[in-house]
Amino acid sequence: MKLQHKLVTGVVTLMIGSMAFTACTDEIKFGDSFIEKTPGGTASLDTVFGSAEYTKQFLVGLYVLQYYGLPFKNATEAPWSVSYWNSKMDAMTDCYQQHFSGGGAFGKYYGGLLSSADIANTDHPLISYTHDFVWEVVRRCYLLMENIDNVPGLTDAERKNMVAQAKCLIAARYFDLYSIYGGLPIITHTFTGLEGTYNIPRASAENTANFMVGLLDEAIPDLLWAYNGNTIETDAANNVGRWTAAGAMALKAKILLFNASPLYNADQGYYGGTTQAEKDSLVWHGGFKQERWQRALQACEDFMNRNAQEGNWYQLNQATATKPAPEDYRQAYRMGYIYQGSREIIHCTRVTGTTSNKASYQWANFVGPFGTSNGPFRHSYNPTEEYVEMFPWSDGRPFNWEVDSINGNIGGKTGQLFYKWTVGKVTKKEASRDPRLYENAIVCSQTLSLNWTTGKPEGDVYELWVKGEHEGTDAADVDEKTGEVKVMEKDLGRFATGYGVIKYYLGQEYFGKYTQWVYLSYDEMLLMYAECLAQCGQLEKAIQQVDVVRARVGMKGLKYGQAAYKGDKSTLPDLNTKEGLVEEILRERACELGMSNNRYYDMIRYKRTDWMTKKLHGLITFRMMENSKKELIPNNNPYIGTDKNSGVKEPSLFSYLKFEIQNPKRYLWDFQPNDPEVLKWLLMPFPLSEINKGYGLVQNPGW
């Protein structure tokens, strides 16, 4: 039986000209028609690798097939992950609920209908084993490595650098699958397509990790630490998105973090230990070893030490104001991940379409401050109440609804859940929560935009109360005669949970720019370092790394926050224990790294099936007003328009009501966390069609 054809055919057709992806700014000069003969011939190889210029363009063509984490295409063909019909990983976590019934989240995940059947070639996990160009990248990288010595006009340094980039590309594409499938077949060379049979079984999870790490270790010496020079070969403008030594070292740390995590590094396989995949150590390591955490910690320290030697090129983007306000911290956080020249970004991928309405970049077009005002909001990844409550108060105190609420109102009768209004001659309004909240969720009373240059709030505010200008009845409706509240939770409702997503939606200021997907970043490195330190018993040093991340947005440290907490401190995670501190680090990662797949990764690598099975909630906000008796009564009307035009001050009185998400209710909520039906979702199913090819692929437990 043959391995899937995308691996074993001869010269794979170069799908460069027709792809929507890009990573580097080199001009791509050829497409499908560049191949002169059918796959298996030699003319194509001779032509592609007969010129230094064409070989460099071939390498650019490998970059176009990297993973890009924002669905932007109305398509069902490969790459599977970029189609908005297939949903994002974040929608499978406790942080977001996608309200688009046509998306993959609704049926396959929320409805529990995902299978290994690969019916009509459409039933794939969110990153597909066969339909995300992983194996195309692997094969083409080996083609480059096997032919690079014959290319005229390249220096030895150029050859080594190009091979190193190819090894990073292979390692990254392997990680994209390893993170959701476990051990993989290890490919070390190209195939002719003439072999009669193939025996390429799944490697163990640990051997797969070691294979990726080995490629990266080989690549690091031949890569620049960063593209920070002033020549075409070394500057950022011409090389943004290329793999660097920093990117390779960061990816190595991330791989080893996975390798050391409880999913793989445990005393028993997650499904009970009796399945073939568990017996063969394909989905775990056969036992726990603390040395795996030490190895991951060393990789983090190696990165930090090298970065220090390189003048701390990679660093957190900081607020520049002398006395930063909350919006200044928001701006620092925002520009850290979105700005093309950010020194916070270690590796990124991009798409060619910009955020203009005429582009193919649908992520922005289907939701956002500058999206079509009437939808369709196919990217309604609505934040949940559980996610919003992960964000502390602005001084760092943990948020707790029961402790901080009075009769459903936050801060007394004024209901100041997100902002504090101080009434005087001039009413002062100040954000009351972690600045990162407003960059990961649109909340009630948040301004429509921040000025791109100054970071100052501009324009009207989001009216996310019942019948407000923006939310309308997305979350709930009220019968004006009876006062009855009806949960609506609309399909395609931009604010169906009472909140809206804002990550990567940045208003007119970024309209028309190339929007990068941040694959690896310095804030993630700091939090990986903190986690490894905690797992190795260095708790104080771990807290220091977390506090660096919090300080960037003006919040005090973890210990201060807990000390200032107003409730029962015994209910908080114990920072003096490894388990308690890791729990806080996972929460901090959710706040810092929203919409980046990391919450999904954390869920599976820590086997947090309790996150999978807990029921999630939205929030209904009611605009309130005082009547003649100084009683609070509902005011179910928009502010923009009549009230604003009449000189009424911006609403500042609110009441809240949580509701359980039902559209749809997730399938796994009916099970206990340790039920096999839940446990199987820790790793994704391989397509049955691939298993039946007989080259050694073993199915994951439960599928």
Side-chain angles (χ1 to χ4, degrees):
M1 300 294 290
K2 289 187 178 182
L3 188 61
Q4 55 164 317
H5 72 278
K6 293 183 178 67
L7 263 173
V8 303
T9 52
V11 179
V12 179
T13 301
L14 298 181
M15 301 171 68
I16 298 173
S18 61
M19 289 298 152
F21 292 85
T22 187
C24 310
T25 55
D26 307 47
E27 183 182 357
I28 300 171
K29 297 182 179 178
F30 57 86
D32 297 345
S33 61
F34 184 83
I35 300 299
E36 298 175 340
K37 290 191 176 181
T38 58
T42 58
S44 298
L45 290 174
D46 292 342
T47 306
V48 173
F49 298 112
S51 158
E53 179 183 359
Y54 285 152
T55 303
K56 290 178 181 178
Q57 291 178 26
F58 183 83
L59 178 59
V60 173
L62 304 181
Y63 275 93
V64 307
L65 303 181
Q66 293 179 105
Y67 175 75
Y68 183 83
L70 299 176
F72 74 98
K73 198 173 184 181
N74 179 6
T76 55
E77 74 272 9
W80 191 254
S81 57
V82 306
S83 173
Y84 59 67
W85 297 102
N86 298 320
S87 304
K88 276 183 56 60
M89 289 181 177
D90 302 86
M92 267 41 78
T93 72
D94 56 345
C95 293
Y96 299 92
Q97 177 87 351
Q98 189 182 23
H99 286 85
F100 170 36
S101 58
F106 249 68
K108 288 192 294 185
Y109 291 86
Y110 298 165
L113 299 180
L114 181 69
S115 75
S116 61
D118 193 19
I119 300 171
N121 216 23
T122 61
D123 199 13
H124 301 275
L126 299 178
I127 299 180
S128 171
Y129 181 76
T130 56
H131 281 65
D132 261 298
F133 295 138
V134 172
W135 303 114
E136 285 85 343
V137 171
V138 172
R139 174 173 175 76
R140 296 180 200 188
C141 284
Y142 281 122
L143 278 174
L144 184 145
M145 289 189 279
E146 291 166 2
N147 289 277
I148 193 73
D149 288 341
N150 299 322
V151 178
L154 292 176
T155 67
D156 287 342
E158 286 176 320
R159 293 179 205 275
K160 290 180 179 179
N161 181 265
M162 293 174 72
V163 167
Q165 291 183 58
K167 289 178 178 179
C168 290
L169 287 162
I170 294 175
R173 294 270 48 192
Y174 258 83
F175 174 74
D176 296 335
L177 297 186
Y178 170 78
S179 61
I180 63 171
Y181 288 99
L184 300 165
I186 292 179
I187 309 299
T188 59
H189 59 276
T190 60
F191 295 84
T192 66
L194 303 177
E195 293 87 353
T197 60
Y198 299 91
N199 181 29
I200 313 175
R202 287 183 70 181
S204 69
E206 190 145 45
N207 284 345
T208 303
N210 289 336
F211 169 67
M212 293 182 284
V213 168
L215 288 171
L216 296 169
D217 282 341
E218 293 171 4
I220 289 166
D222 296 318
L223 295 168
L224 294 175
W225 177 247
Y227 284 98
N228 56 0
N230 54 13
T231 67
I232 292 177
E233 292 77 19
T234 63
D235 68 5
N238 288 286
N239 297 282
V240 62
R242 287 191 185 272
W243 279 97
T244 61
M249 293 181 74
L251 180 57
K252 175 182 176 180
K254 190 164 186 172
I255 291 167
L256 292 176
L257 183 81
F258 259 85
N259 189 64
S261 295
L263 176 69
Y264 297 137
N265 190 22
D267 290 328
Q268 182 174 313
Y270 67 85
Y271 205 71
T274 61
T275 64
Q276 190 63 48
E278 290 170 305
K279 291 177 181 178
D280 294 343
S281 298
L282 307 179
V283 294
W284 73 309
H285 300 330
F288 171 81
K289 289 183 180 179
Q290 179 62 30
E291 290 83 358
R292 295 187 180 103
W293 279 113
Q294 293 288 348
R295 188 183 179 196
L297 174 59
Q298 187 62 56
C300 291
E301 290 179 337
D302 289 345
F303 177 93
M304 296 300 177
N305 291 336
R306 175 73 182 276
N307 192 44
Q309 294 170 8
E310 300 283 351
N312 291 311
W313 174 259
Y314 295 99
Q315 55 187 262
L316 294 179
N317 190 54
Q318 302 289 347
T320 57
T322 304
K323 294 182 179 180
E327 56 265 25
D328 297 313
Y329 291 122
R330 280 184 60 189
Q331 184 80 340
Y333 174 86
R334 169 182 290 194
M335 299 301 283
Y337 81 86
I338 202 66
Y339 178 53
Q340 296 284 326
S342 171
R343 288 166 66 174
E344 194 169 317
I345 299 171
I346 298 173
H347 187 71
C348 66
T349 59
R350 296 182 296 156
V351 295
T352 54
T354 68
T355 52
S356 68
N357 286 327
K358 295 181 180 179
S360 62
Y361 182 51
Q362 302 295 327
W363 176 260
N365 289 348
F366 281 152
V367 164
F370 51 94
T372 53
S373 59
N374 296 316
F377 298 125
R378 294 177 184 173
H379 291 156
S380 294
Y381 291 87
N382 301 112
T384 64
E385 178 63 22
E386 282 71 17
Y387 186 31
V388 171
E389 291 182 15
M390 293 181 195
F391 292 88
W393 293 101
S394 59
D395 63 354
R397 286 181 294 119
F399 179 88
N400 183 292
W401 187 272
E402 286 72 26
V403 171
D404 294 311
S405 66
I406 302 174
N407 298 323
N409 297 314
I410 301 298
K413 73 172 186 177
T414 52
Q416 297 182 353
L417 179 56
F418 306 113
Y419 291 91
K420 180 180 180 180
W421 284 266
T422 303
V423 179
K425 290 183 178 180
V426 177
T427 300
K428 181 181 178 182
K429 175 185 175 185
E430 187 174 13
S432 57
R433 299 284 290 279
D434 178 345
R436 296 172 298 185
L437 170 60
Y438 311 95
E439 290 296 308
N440 283 281
I442 298 173
V443 302
C444 189
S445 302
Q446 183 170 322
T447 53
L448 293 179
S449 68
L450 295 181
N451 182 284
W452 188 255
T453 303
T454 66
K456 302 305 178 185
E458 291 183 341
D460 291 315
V461 300
Y462 280 104
E463 299 183 13
L464 301 193
W465 57 81
V466 176
K467 298 188 178 180
E469 174 71 15
H470 300 99
E471 182 178 315
T473 57
D474 279 2
D477 196 3
V478 174
D479 187 310
E480 296 296 340
K481 293 182 179 180
T482 65
E484 180 184 359
V485 178
K486 180 181 179 180
V487 175
M488 302 296 289
E489 203 185 342
K490 288 182 179 178
D491 185 23
L492 294 175
R494 185 179 171 197
F495 302 107
T497 60
Y499 301 110
V501 66
I502 193 173
K503 196 73 176 284
Y504 288 103
Y505 299 116
L506 297 175
Q508 294 287 354
E509 305 90 345
Y510 211 68
F511 207 57
K513 300 288 197 306
Y514 291 96
T515 302
Q516 60 203 351
W517 164 255
V518 179
Y519 194 82
L520 293 162
S521 58
Y522 187 67
D523 52 348
E524 183 184 356
M525 274 303 309
L526 286 168
L527 293 173
M528 286 197 294
Y529 187 25
E531 183 182 340
C532 291
L533 286 166
Q535 289 286 1
C536 292
Q538 300 184 49
L539 305 186
E540 288 300 321
K541 195 171 182 180
I543 290 173
Q544 291 172 12
Q545 309 311 312
V546 177
D547 287 352
V548 169
V549 175
R550 288 163 67 94
R552 187 266 290 275
V553 289
M555 286 198 307
K556 296 179 181 178
L558 287 176
K559 286 190 171 181
Y560 169 87
Q562 287 205 353
Y565 182 65
K566 295 179 180 179
D568 181 358
K569 293 181 175 57
S570 67
T571 62
L572 299 175
D574 188 350
L575 301 182
N576 295 312
T577 67
K578 177 180 72 174
E579 293 76 16
L581 181 53
V582 168
E583 190 72 15
E584 273 295 90
I585 291 170
L586 295 180
R587 181 202 54 75
E588 196 71 23
R589 282 171 57 86
C591 295
E592 179 72 22
L593 305 173
M595 272 289 159
S596 66
N597 293 349
N598 277 291
R599 185 65 172 180
Y600 184 85
Y601 291 152
D602 292 350
M603 181 173 70
I604 60 175
R605 64 190 182 88
Y606 272 93
K607 299 187 288 191
R608 295 304 297 264
T609 50
D610 58 320
W611 295 355
M612 295 180 180
T613 54
K614 71 179 178 184
K615 296 178 180 179
L616 302 176
H617 298 80
L619 187 72
I620 301 170
T621 299
F622 301 97
R623 177 187 175 186
M624 308 297 286
M625 62 183 294
E626 289 186 340
N627 62 16
S628 59
K629 298 179 181 180
K630 299 297 182 180
E631 297 171 329
L632 285 180
I633 60 173
N635 180 359
N636 303 316
N637 293 293
Y639 169 69
I640 296 173
T642 305
D643 286 354
K644 181 180 178 182
N645 294 343
S646 299
V648 176
K649 291 183 178 180
E650 176 189 321
S652 61
L653 304 177
F654 301 102
S655 183
Y656 308 97
L657 178 66
K658 291 186 186 181
F659 67 91
E660 186 177 304
I661 288 173
Q662 296 289 315
N663 186 27
K665 174 183 176 182
R666 299 192 192 182
Y667 168 70
L668 293 181
W669 291 350
D670 289 331
F671 295 90
Q672 294 299 312
N674 291 326
D675 192 297
E677 183 61 24
V678 178
L679 292 170
K680 77 175 187 179
W681 290 86
L682 289 170
L683 289 177
M684 293 291 101
F686 289 97
L688 188 61
S689 58
E690 284 298 299
I691 292 174
N692 290 339
K693 290 180 180 179
Y695 57 82
L697 203 59
V698 175
Q699 185 60 277
N700 278 333
W703 295 103

